[in-house]
Amino acid sequence: MSRARVLLLNAALGPLDYRVPHGMTVEPGSIVVAPLGPRQLLGVAWEAERMPSDAEVGDNRLRPLLAVADVPPLRPALRRLVEWTADYYLAPPAAVLRMCLASTSALEGARTVTEYRATGEVPGRLTPQREQALERIGDRQGLIRELAGIADVSDAVIRGLVKAGVLEAVTVDIDSPYPVPDPAFGPPDLSDDQRAAADVLAAGVAAHRFEPTLLDGVTGSGKTEVYFEAVAEAIRQGRQTLVLLPEIALTEPFLKRFRDRFGVEPVAWHSGLRSTQRRRAWRAIASGEALVTVGARSALFLPYAALGLIVVDEAHETSFKQEEGVHYHARDVAVMRGKFEECPVILASATPAIETRQQVALGRYAELKLTGRFGLAEMPVIEAIDLIQEPPERGRWLSPRLVKAMGETLERREQSLLFLNRRGYAPLTLCRTCGHRFQCPNCTAWMVEHRLTRRLACHHCGHVEPVPRACPECKGEDTLVACGPGVERIADEVAVLFPDAKTAVVTSDTIWSPAKAAEFVGRMEMGDIDIVVGTQLVTKGYHFPNLTLVGVIDADLGLEGGDLRAAERTFQQIRQVSGRAGRGEKPGRVYIQTHSPGAQVMQALITGDADAFYAAETEARADAGAPPFGRYAAIVVSSEDQACAHETALLVGRAAPKVDGMAVYGPAPAPLAMLRGRHRYRLLVHARRALDVQDVIRAWLGALDWSAKARVTVDVDPYSFL
Ligand code: ADP
Ligand code: ZN
């Protein structure tokens, strides 16, 4: 008689025991199908001693497992990672496990699927709907459901197109092998500095040893080229590499660089994959055949068979912090994965996070530095423009000095980049007559006007409405005015100032897929764009040699609201965007528009003295006991029912334990007091570094019962304080 403890993919359930039927082989890590009531659920067999169950069932009452997936069992290193992540971030293990099994179709064994694509034949007349669908599909290929999604029509419309012979069926072997990258395909001639760093990293890979290393090099110093040498070593060893990028928009340029270096593209993993691509990637990763995977943070939990190296590129990026579901920080979990897998972890950044620098200072992470730009490229000259001394014209946002520089850049046929971290046309719309402001019905947030789509949109919940002609309050017509600038408004100003220049707005609204990013990169490289107006999306990763001018429209923006990382984040963001200027042989210039050019962070940007800035920031953090010297955890209580949210928050607050070295602030209404229709209260736990704050919170919340209408979420090491 053999039994198995199984962690089911259901966050509400604890682990359950099952009988392993005769002839079935189940070991810890096996992916199984188990019965639960009338349903069948996926789960993973686990070491019973590591996953205690309160439901001890006698052998004779156990239900049998139904099946084992025809894929390798999840390895111990990944199982330990699941346990650690669940424990550290106070999440149900099942919620973490779900990220490991991110493609259910991958578990179904080898097979082919039927996809559809355009035949190129279009019979006489199509309905407008079919015509539009066909146009959107273009030369893409996919399942009926996927094509319907792309075309934004029902499945029936796609089936109709198949029947009419406009689309045809193609049988696809979804597990066709990936080409193998060639470490000798296009190695660069490294400078001495680069070579020294690359050798250390490659040796680390060869040694199969856990070792986190900060690769700290100014923008354009060749960090990618350097860590590619470590990737090459892993490939030579037949071991796998995971490269994590902060945004999927950066995937496309990365694929291209990788191809130039290794001859083929790596395996990409991101939310934009079709289900068949996802399955193919998952299986190749699990079998060890996928040697290099590049992806967004979700790639971190995939079941690599033989991980030999993890790279976190732009490691300082706060987008590595997941803000929904399991609130994990991919940079930190990546280091833990490296520890369990016993492989090196490279954190690459030109502006490392204070947390990472502190690990270096404590001797826990090694550090490699690249101090200059590669080749002839020099760091750009950075100047502040004092908006009080040199204000833009009334109703404008670009100061005369910046406009002049843009004109000169255009004349030299070079490119400019204007950075403003605000999507849309204007962050606030109000009625000139009665003062009515447009607020989101679901959130404590203003509706942002988007002129390109002629809508008002909430950036928190996605609610959109058309821009009305009349004010809903006083019924006055044409009385609405836009307050403040977004990128679209800056682009309008540019169009007035330089009517002949070709301008592109780059935000998540315009670059919403890797293909769109590729198109943008292509246009930049061909010189089809003179002036880019963009959000943080353009601050990192890109390399455009002809881009020589960067203008920061409002450097003070990130300092508003003032959370603990505001100054650090402003420094990183502006230094990154400055790093886009003058990456080729032509020198770059950067203008920073600010109301407080004397502020420490602005001075640090202008002088380039990062060390002084970091030293002061670090000292301030140490004084306040803020991370990395102390720790925070946020507890957010929310409910659609305001009274219920309030009562539950008070309940949680009253039960706060008195623990030495820990303070609890709140509950208080969250700055985003309403989000997606839910009322929100926050408590902030502040603790000494050494305190096991998770244990305290687990015991505290575990002893409480609250209404089913309320939700209580815990965010350990929070990055958002809204
Ligand atoms: P970073 O990631 O540090 O910003 P990159 O790796 O993007 O820097 O390098 C900047 C540019 O310089 C890229 O176009 C890169 O291909 C080029 N480059 C860097 N090092 C070398 C080298 N040793 N040989 C040739 N090109 C290099
Ligand atoms: Zn909203």
Side-chain angles (χ1 to χ4, degrees):
M1 170 73 206
S2 106
R3 52 194 292 160
R5 180 144 302 168
V6 177
L7 191 52
L8 294 170
L9 281 196
N10 180 331
L13 290 175
L16 294 177
D17 288 350
Y18 287 91
R19 180 160 63 79
V20 180
H22 204 66
M24 188 185 280
T25 312
V26 173
E27 59 185 293
S30 292
I31 301 169
V32 298
V33 182
L36 187 79
R39 290 181 300 152
Q40 302 186 357
L41 281 184
L42 271 177
V44 175
W46 221 269
E47 296 94 327
E49 62 280 10
R50 306 190 71 101
M51 232 5 117
S53 160
D54 355 297
E56 287 288 349
V57 179
D59 281 355
N60 52 348
R61 290 177 43 222
L62 287 181
R63 298 181 70 182
L65 290 174
L66 302 172
V68 188
D70 174 26
V71 292
L74 300 188
R75 293 172 43 255
L78 182 52
R79 301 206 297 279
R80 301 298 83 85
L81 188 78
V82 170
E83 290 164 359
W84 183 86
T85 306
D87 212 51
Y88 188 88
Y89 292 105
L90 293 165
V96 183
L97 192 57
R98 188 176 291 285
M99 300 192 281
C100 306
L101 306 184
S103 162
T104 41
S105 97
L107 309 175
E108 288 163 7
R111 63 192 175 91
T112 59
V113 289
T114 309
E115 294 191 331
Y116 295 86
R117 65 173 178 217
T119 54
E121 313 260 322
V122 181
R125 285 166 57 88
L126 287 177
T127 64
Q129 196 187 25
R130 284 187 177 187
E131 193 163 333
Q132 189 193 335
L134 191 61
E135 193 183 325
R136 294 213 182 153
I137 289 169
D139 56 7
R140 272 181 283 201
Q141 176 174 321
L143 305 174
I144 298 243
R145 178 167 28 94
E146 289 164 348
L147 294 184
I150 288 165
D152 200 14
V153 296
S154 69
D155 291 5
V157 173
I158 304 294
R159 284 206 194 85
L161 284 168
V162 176
K163 237 188 219 132
V166 181
L167 297 179
E168 66 181 351
V170 197
T171 302
V172 185
D173 172 5
I174 41 191
D175 300 326
S176 54
Y178 287 95
V180 178
D182 174 6
F185 182 83
D189 246 338
L190 295 181
S191 68
D192 293 345
D193 265 16
Q194 291 177 333
R195 173 51 60 202
D199 286 348
V200 172
L201 294 175
V205 172
H208 297 205
R209 208 179 35 230
F210 168 58
E211 172 145 76
T213 302
L214 169 62
L215 177 57
D216 178 357
V218 297
T219 51
S221 58
K223 292 184 292 297
T224 316
E225 305 294 340
V226 167
Y227 75 66
F228 271 176
E229 294 313 294
V231 176
E233 178 62 27
I235 295 169
R236 276 184 224 111
Q237 306 235 342
R239 303 186 87 208
Q240 293 170 290
T241 300
L242 164 63
V243 180
L244 287 178
L245 300 177
E247 321 246 356
I248 76 167
L250 293 177
T251 316
E252 205 66 26
F254 181 89
L255 297 181
K256 188 165 168 290
R257 279 189 77 168
F258 191 89
R259 198 173 45 222
D260 291 344
R261 172 67 183 82
F262 295 105
V264 301
E265 285 191 359
V267 177
W269 181 272
H270 53 74
S271 55
L273 294 186
R274 307 199 313 262
S275 123
T276 46
Q277 293 173 317
R278 207 168 249 279
R279 171 200 150 92
R280 178 181 172 216
W282 195 97
R283 288 179 72 91
I285 285 166
S287 74
E289 175 217 318
L291 280 179
V292 182
T293 303
V294 56
R297 55 180 182 244
S298 58
L300 187 52
F301 289 95
L302 296 175
Y304 301 91
L307 204 51
L309 172 66
I310 302 174
V311 179
V312 184
D313 205 349
E314 314 284 359
H316 60 279
E317 276 293 324
T318 50
S319 57
F320 280 121
K321 178 74 198 300
Q322 164 117 338
E323 297 291 0
E324 268 160 26
V326 183
H327 287 62
Y328 68 94
H329 197 305
R331 176 197 65 212
D332 297 342
V333 180
V335 172
M336 285 315 290
R337 180 137 202 190
K339 184 172 170 179
F340 291 127
E341 303 277 357
E342 294 177 39
C343 74
V345 181
I346 300 172
L347 307 181
S349 174
T351 52
I354 288 181
E355 280 81 355
T356 307
R357 290 179 159 245
Q358 184 62 13
Q359 297 287 7
V360 171
L362 293 173
R364 295 197 190 125
Y365 294 4
E367 184 182 37
L368 293 169
K369 277 191 185 247
L370 300 172
T371 48
R373 280 192 159 172
F374 174 74
L376 297 175
E378 296 280 342
M379 291 302 280
V381 177
I382 303 181
E383 288 171 45
I385 296 181
D386 184 339
L387 286 171
I388 296 169
Q389 301 288 333
E390 304 175 58
E393 281 176 42
R394 238 183 98 72
R396 299 256 173 107
W397 313 99
L398 305 178
S399 76
R401 189 140 54 107
L402 178 55
V403 172
K404 180 160 169 281
M406 290 171 69
E408 291 162 3
T409 307
L410 268 176
E411 262 166 42
R412 287 197 303 270
R413 304 184 150 273
E414 295 168 7
Q415 294 163 312
S416 307
L417 163 61
L418 301 178
F419 167 63
L420 175 64
N421 206 15
R422 242 199 221 137
R423 291 156 52 207
Y425 185 82
L428 170 66
T429 304
L430 58 75
C431 170
R432 185 178 330 143
T433 312
C434 75
H436 174 79
R437 296 166 170 214
F438 285 81
Q439 200 182 350
C440 173
N442 312 319
C443 307
T444 318
W446 306 124
M447 298 289 283
V448 178
E449 181 183 358
H450 285 246
R451 289 234 167 137
L452 294 175
T453 51
R454 297 212 196 92
R455 284 181 183 167
L456 296 170
C458 170
H459 287 179
H460 294 284
C461 72
H463 174 80
V464 289
E465 16 184 286
V467 184
R469 266 199 72 98
C471 169
E473 196 70 36
C474 70
K475 316 294 177 207
E477 289 207 9
D478 297 319
T479 61
L480 303 183
V481 284
C483 296
V487 282
E488 292 179 8
R489 196 170 197 176
I490 301 298
D492 272 10
E493 185 172 334
V494 170
V496 171
L497 292 167
F498 305 104
D500 297 329
K502 285 169 284 182
T503 304
V505 173
V506 176
T507 72
S508 55
D509 299 308
T510 57
I511 307 282
W512 37 265
S513 70
K516 283 279 169 194
E519 189 186 313
F520 163 64
V521 171
R523 287 184 59 204
M524 278 299 279
E525 284 173 349
M526 279 166 44
D528 192 29
I529 297 172
D530 300 312
I531 300 169
V532 183
V533 187
T535 58
Q536 49 82 29
L537 207 62
V538 283
T539 59
K540 55 202 156 233
Y542 294 113
H543 179 77
F544 301 123
N546 202 34
L547 201 167
T548 55
L549 176 68
V550 165
V552 178
I553 306 297
D554 182 354
D556 311 329
L557 191 59
L559 295 171
E560 286 169 15
D563 77 50
L564 83 104
R565 296 184 181 85
E568 182 190 12
R569 203 135 48 182
T570 297
F571 179 81
Q572 290 167 332
Q573 211 163 49
I574 295 179
R575 198 150 149 113
Q576 287 288 338
V577 73
S578 305
R580 298 315 109 197
R583 292 172 68 93
E585 293 178 6
K586 301 171 193 160
R589 261 190 310 172
V590 179
Y591 290 100
I592 300 177
Q593 300 195 147
T594 170
H595 285 96
S596 42
Q600 192 181 37
V601 44
M602 303 304 161
Q603 284 304 312
L605 288 162
I606 295 161
T607 59
D609 190 351
D611 290 340
F613 171 76
Y614 273 112
E617 261 314 279
T618 307
E619 195 183 313
R621 295 261 193 105
D623 286 347
F629 303 97
R631 353 189 12 198
Y632 288 116
I635 302 178
V636 176
V637 179
S638 70
S639 173
E640 286 177 9
D641 178 348
Q642 154 110 54
C644 171
H646 189 217
E647 273 162 33
T648 310
L650 289 177
L651 172 84
V652 173
R654 274 194 302 266
K658 303 227 170 350
V659 175
D660 223 18
M662 183 181 108
V664 179
Y665 306 106
L672 255 172
M674 191 157 101
L675 178 64
R676 297 191 186 92
R678 301 178 71 88
H679 300 271
R680 302 167 78 244
Y681 289 83
R682 289 178 64 95
L683 295 102
L684 189 65
V685 181
H686 183 194
R688 264 190 292 117
R689 183 92 228 153
L691 189 79
D692 189 340
V693 72
Q694 286 90 343
D695 253 8
V696 174
I697 295 176
R698 227 186 320 267
W700 164 14
L701 297 182
L704 296 179
D705 261 326
W706 51 79
S707 154
K709 287 189 293 180
R711 189 187 301 152
V712 178
T713 57
V714 184
D715 185 357
V716 178
D717 305 340
Y719 276 67
S720 162
F721 292 84
L722 290 179

